[in-house]
Amino acid sequence: MRLRVEFTTEPFDLDEAPRHALVAREVIEAAELDAVDVGPFGNTAEGGADAVLTAVDDLLRKALEAGATRVSLQVNVVGAAGEGDK
């Protein structure tokens, strides 16, 4: 199964990206995902279920350790088993 995760970390800082946002971005960019889009107000990534779920676990742990007080995320199924699994 393929999944898409959308996430944001808080608190926001419009002047400079906070450490927790940079850490979350690094985690997602380093994960074995194939459709990654990072931006100032939201981030998305897509890939096989195992890769996405592993990345989400790592993202939550590291962003919270880096000072995030809230991590909002949504996970959607975007493809059936066998459609691009990784």
Side-chain angles (χ1 to χ4, degrees):
M1 145 182 1
R2 288 185 56 75
L3 301 176
R4 177 183 302 124
V5 61
E6 300 175 44
F7 68 93
T8 58
T9 62
E10 296 179 40
F12 295 114
D13 183 342
L14 297 178
D15 295 326
E16 174 179 333
R19 177 164 159 60
H20 59 79
L22 297 175
V23 166
R25 183 176 300 166
E26 290 170 6
V27 167
I28 289 301
E29 289 177 340
E32 294 183 21
L33 304 172
D34 33 62
V36 176
D37 182 25
V38 295
F41 299 109
N43 309 283
T44 60
E46 197 172 302
D50 287 340
V52 170
L53 295 174
T54 297
V56 166
D57 178 61
D58 200 24
L59 164 82
L60 290 171
R61 293 175 190 278
K62 290 183 177 173
L64 293 169
E65 288 172 3
T69 57
R70 175 184 291 192
V71 179
S72 301
L73 64 91
Q74 180 173 312
V75 177
N76 294 300
V77 175
V78 294
E83 292 180 16
D85 285 352
K86 285 194 171 198

